[in-house]
Amino acid sequence: MNIKETYTPIFFIGIGGIGMSAIARYFLLHGFKVGGYDRTESHITRALVAEGAEVFYDDNSDFIPEAFRSEDTYVIYTPAVPTDASVMSYYRNKGIKLYKRSQALGEITSRSKALCVAGTHGKTTTSTILACLMAETVIPSEHVGVNAFLGGISLNYNSNLLLDADASFTVAEADEYDRSFHTLHPHYAIITSTSPDHLDIYGTEEAYLEAFSHFTSLVSPKGGLVMHKHATCTPRLREGAQFYTYAKNEQADFYSNNLQFRSGELYFDFHFPGGVYREMHIGVPIEINVENATATLAVAHLCGKSEAELRLNLSSFKGVHRRFERVLSGGEGGFVLIDDYAHHPEEIAASIRSVRVLYPDSRLTAIFQPHLYSRTADFYKEFAEALSQEAQVVLLPIYPAREEPMPGITSELILEHISPNVIATSCSKSELTKTLDRFPADVYLMLGAGDIELLVPEVKEYLIQKQKKALS
């Protein structure tokens, strides 16, 4: 596969996805003609249109612009789009080869030293922290430069794409869904977690772990390395590549300890072979980010970043949109509203624990929208257990994404297994704010990877008005 300069038209099927849109922006900025289809309009697709892309939202091949009907059109698709979609069938019937998003990203990242972040969860935050550590420099003469393709919107840059013409490195998420990360060419690889997920694709936990083992075999033998949190998959490194571990509050090659919350800020000590950086300050004071930061500090340190750069850049990290993002901060006695992409039981449990650390004496209402029927079927008991951590719980209907309904699999299945000590209910999206009247709290935590984010502005306004009434 090779994206040639002569391939001026590039068409994206599923262009509104966070990863797809980053690649679309990359080609727009390099002068390619870009078009695409997505099921729904969003702020991401509107931004792409403003930057010059042609986008439509009806799965009808008649809407494909003329410029993207020629046989030299380079077509990139996401596996999240059904294989029988009309726009997919149009190109397939014309004999035009379709490439996965990961294949396009694989070629892009092969042009520099790729720093790839894989894992069941934590990879978006981890890759974004790594991009922030690598992108900024204290000493201009030591500038190493970075491109970054992120799975979320960095609040530092208000973008999921960073470009640097002089970049020596490229940060990219290595997505395990559909084995997409097997198309990448990692120089350094971080593996944050290998908790089973996407069992609709892999079938078994063993097959899931094997996919990560294969990913480690792709790391460059010329000075490459794997940075692994827990070696639950068996690494298969080529001769010349290295293996390191990282951890929080336990011994590893690179580790962090001595966590301290002071005046709403979080500090920790970062240990590396031969030294320690005391009292590192992370800009987003959430305990789950310390482990993510440990991995990125390790990789950035090995890439040559100085202590001064690491301190400054970690301290200035603002977070990622929808990754434990505080929409309302609770100032002047108001409500706290947190929007979090968490959609796996371990992620949800970590989010609730973080709320308890930051707001130990507050009442919490967790609002969760399950993502995928298959994931709910696989983990409904684990979801219920995670949500049973002293929280009031409101469940929304399952977001289907690419799936058709499965008999007997609804949010009620989770509700039935939540602890009887927890006040919990389910409701439709249209009934959410009315339902919240029965679930008063100080902190509201909105969880899920579906379209729950579209309800955040409504809940925010509901809480603002509720505070005004309380003060009047």
Side-chain angles (χ1 to χ4, degrees), residues 23-59:
I23 296 176
R25 282 197 173 98
Y26 174 88
F27 287 114
L28 279 168
L29 290 170
H30 282 77
F32 287 80
K33 190 169 186 62
V34 171
Y37 155 77
D38 209 286
R39 186 171 63 176
T40 56
E41 184 179 12
S42 66
H43 66 281
I44 291 176
T45 60
R46 288 192 290 270
L48 287 169
V49 170
E51 293 170 26
E54 297 183 56
V55 182
F56 63 93
Y57 307 97
D58 192 331
D59 183 24

Side-chain angles (χ1 to χ4, degrees), residues 138-459:
V138 175
I139 305 171
S141 62
E142 296 182 359
H143 178 69
V144 294
V146 68
N147 293 313
F149 294 84
L150 307 173
I153 301 297
S154 165
L155 299 180
N156 285 73
Y157 305 103
N158 195 31
S159 178
N160 61 326
L161 173 67
L162 300 182
L163 292 176
D164 186 325
D166 301 319
S168 304
F169 298 93
T170 297
V171 174
E173 287 194 31
D175 187 3
E176 77 277 11
Y177 175 74
D178 199 29
R179 296 177 173 84
S180 293
F181 59 169
H182 291 171
T183 65
L184 302 181
H185 301 88
H187 184 68
Y188 288 0
I190 294 173
I191 300 178
T192 63
S193 167
T194 53
S195 302
D197 197 7
H198 302 300
L199 297 184
D200 56 320
I201 299 294
Y202 288 97
T204 66
E205 178 178 353
E206 290 73 22
Y208 187 75
L209 294 175
E210 165 58 25
F212 280 90
S213 293
H214 179 72
F215 172 67
T216 65
S217 74
L218 304 176
V219 170
S220 172
K222 299 179 180 179
L225 65 86
V226 172
M227 187 71 59
H228 201 331
K229 174 183 169 184
H230 297 299
T232 50
C233 74
T234 303
R236 293 204 300 270
L237 301 179
R238 288 183 283 178
E239 186 175 355
Q242 297 177 287
F243 181 82
Y244 294 101
T245 57
Y246 73 94
K248 180 190 72 174
N249 289 332
E250 61 183 82
Q251 291 294 318
D253 296 314
F254 297 84
Y255 67 97
S256 295
N257 64 4
N258 194 27
L259 278 64
Q260 299 180 51
F261 285 91
R262 300 200 301 264
S263 302
E265 301 296 334
L266 177 55
Y267 300 83
F268 62 92
D269 295 343
F270 169 64
H271 299 258
F272 54 91
V276 58
Y277 296 154
R278 302 286 183 188
E279 297 212 343
M280 299 294 288
H281 170 248
I282 186 166
V284 180
I286 305 168
E287 187 171 349
I288 57 176
N289 277 345
V290 172
E291 204 156 51
N292 298 330
T294 303
T296 62
L297 287 167
V299 168
H301 171 76
L302 293 171
C303 286
K305 299 297 272 188
S306 66
E307 178 182 356
E309 290 176 309
L310 295 179
R311 285 189 179 279
L312 177 64
N313 296 348
L314 187 64
S315 181
S316 63
F317 174 64
K318 296 179 181 179
V320 186
H321 174 57
R322 298 217 66 228
R323 267 60 176 188
F324 209 87
E325 180 180 2
R326 281 185 275 198
V327 180
L328 292 174
S329 60
E332 298 181 0
F335 298 101
V336 174
L337 174 60
I338 298 170
D339 182 22
D340 197 351
Y341 189 75
H343 57 285
H344 184 278
E346 290 186 15
E347 294 171 337
I348 290 169
S351 282
I352 294 175
R353 285 196 301 270
S354 292
V355 170
R356 288 302 178 203
V357 170
L358 289 170
Y359 309 100
D361 301 319
S362 298
R363 293 175 299 171
L364 168 65
T365 290
I367 305 160
F368 175 49
Q369 180 191 50
H371 184 263
L372 298 178
Y373 294 103
S374 59
R375 184 180 283 122
T376 304
D378 290 332
F379 299 116
Y380 65 89
K381 290 182 180 179
E382 289 83 356
F383 280 128
E385 182 179 358
L387 290 165
S388 296
Q389 298 180 82
E390 306 177 64
Q392 300 180 122
V393 176
V394 177
L395 293 171
L396 297 174
I398 296 171
Y399 182 78
R402 57 189 177 270
E403 295 183 336
E404 295 297 323
M406 297 173 62
I409 305 301
T410 69
S411 295
E412 301 298 323
L413 193 58
I414 299 173
L415 184 63
E416 292 170 3
H417 288 81
I418 288 178
S419 168
N421 298 322
V422 174
I423 302 172
T425 191
S426 62
C427 70
S428 67
K429 290 187 288 187
S430 63
E431 297 173 329
L432 178 56
T433 53
K434 185 182 296 184
T435 302
L436 291 181
D437 283 334
R438 298 187 284 113
F439 288 78
D442 308 299
V443 180
Y444 294 81
L445 176 62
M446 299 183 71
L447 301 157
D451 61 359
I452 187 173
E453 66 172 310
L454 301 178
L455 299 175
V456 172
E458 179 182 343
V459 174

Side-chain angles (χ1 to χ4, degrees), residues 9 60-73 90-91 94 96:
N60 185 334
S61 60
D62 292 341
F63 289 96
I64 298 176
E66 192 63 34
F68 303 97
R69 292 178 176 272
S70 63
E71 293 185 358
D72 66 345
T73 301
Y90 171 82
Y91 288 110
K94 288 194 68 172
I96 296 174

